[in-house]
Amino acid sequence: MTTYQAEIQIMLKPSVLDPAGTAVTKALQQQHYDGVQQVRIGKFIQLTLLAPDLAQAQAQVERICREVLTNPVIETYRFTVEAKA
Amino acid sequence: MTTYQAEIQIMLKPSVLDPAGTAVTKALQQQHYDGVQQVRIGKFIQLTLLAPDLAQAQAQVERICREVLTNPVIETYRFTVEAKA
């Protein structure tokens, strides 16, 4: 078994309102951080797991994302998996 | 001016307790998602901004991360910036 490190990025779908992101956008604009147009806030999850090989680690992470970590109605996700140093 | 898309990953420092991550770790283990060892939850922020060139876009994102988006006492961050298609 090898230890793998997965990094998962979860974003709200573009059609879903993001009030926290809108608040940060306005705050940055009012504080004169020039050029800021839009901010959207999602989740970043680091997951450490044991698996026999990379393919099975990826399959397990995909399953965990789909079944537990994300709401497919309003969120999308992407992830990377690599062997942990 | 060009439109740039920044993707910012904010993580708790390893020494900072992450109760939400611990709860997810235990939930996954109890639901027999094999091999899960640790989960840590951070933030993922997508920021769209206008800047004259890539170097200035990166400098602006760095400044926003340092001054607004993160708490340097407990968090670390990394980001990528690229021209938006």
Side-chain angles (χ1 to χ4, degrees), chain A residues 18-54:
Chain A
D18 175 15
T22 305
V24 173
T25 308
K26 287 186 182 156
L28 287 171
Q29 288 167 346
Q30 281 165 11
Q31 289 173 64
H32 307 293
Y33 290 92
D34 295 336
V36 174
Q37 296 196 302
Q38 194 187 32
V39 179
R40 286 181 75 82
I41 299 177
K43 272 174 277 186
F44 177 62
I45 297 177
Q46 292 174 303
L47 195 150
T48 311
L49 78 166
L50 277 176
D53 57 47
L54 181 62

Side-chain angles (χ1 to χ4, degrees), chain A residues 1 3 7 9-12 24 28 31-51 60 63-64 67-69 78 84, chain B residues 1 3 7 9-12 24 28 31-51 60 63-64 67-69 78 84:
Chain A
M1 300 288 264
T3 305
E7 298 197 335
Q9 298 170 343
I10 302 174
M11 297 139 283
L12 286 170
V24 173
L28 287 171
Q31 289 173 64
H32 307 293
Y33 290 92
D34 295 336
V36 174
Q37 296 196 302
Q38 194 187 32
V39 179
R40 286 181 75 82
I41 299 177
K43 272 174 277 186
F44 177 62
I45 297 177
Q46 292 174 303
L47 195 150
T48 311
L49 78 166
L50 277 176
Q60 180 73 311
R63 201 174 139 233
I64 289 170
E67 296 177 5
V68 184
L69 297 177
R78 57 175 191 253
K84 198 169 179 180
Chain B
M1 300 289 264
T3 305
E7 297 197 335
Q9 298 170 341
I10 302 174
M11 298 139 284
L12 286 170
V24 173
L28 287 171
Q31 289 172 65
H32 307 292
Y33 290 92
D34 294 336
V36 174
Q37 296 197 301
Q38 193 187 33
V39 179
R40 286 181 73 83
I41 300 177
K43 275 175 275 186
F44 177 63
I45 297 178
Q46 292 174 305
L47 195 151
T48 311
L49 78 167
L50 277 176
Q60 180 72 312
R63 200 175 139 233
I64 289 169
E67 297 177 3
V68 183
L69 297 178
R78 55 175 191 251
K84 198 169 178 179

Side-chain angles (χ1 to χ4, degrees), chain B residues 44-80:
Chain B
F44 177 63
I45 297 178
Q46 292 174 305
L47 195 151
T48 311
L49 78 167
L50 277 176
D53 57 46
L54 180 61
Q56 289 189 48
Q58 286 172 328
Q60 180 72 312
V61 172
E62 169 73 37
R63 200 175 139 233
I64 289 169
C65 284
R66 200 178 57 238
E67 297 177 3
V68 183
L69 297 178
T70 66
N71 177 350
V73 178
I74 59 167
E75 291 170 329
T76 60
Y77 61 91
R78 55 175 191 251
F79 63 84
T80 59

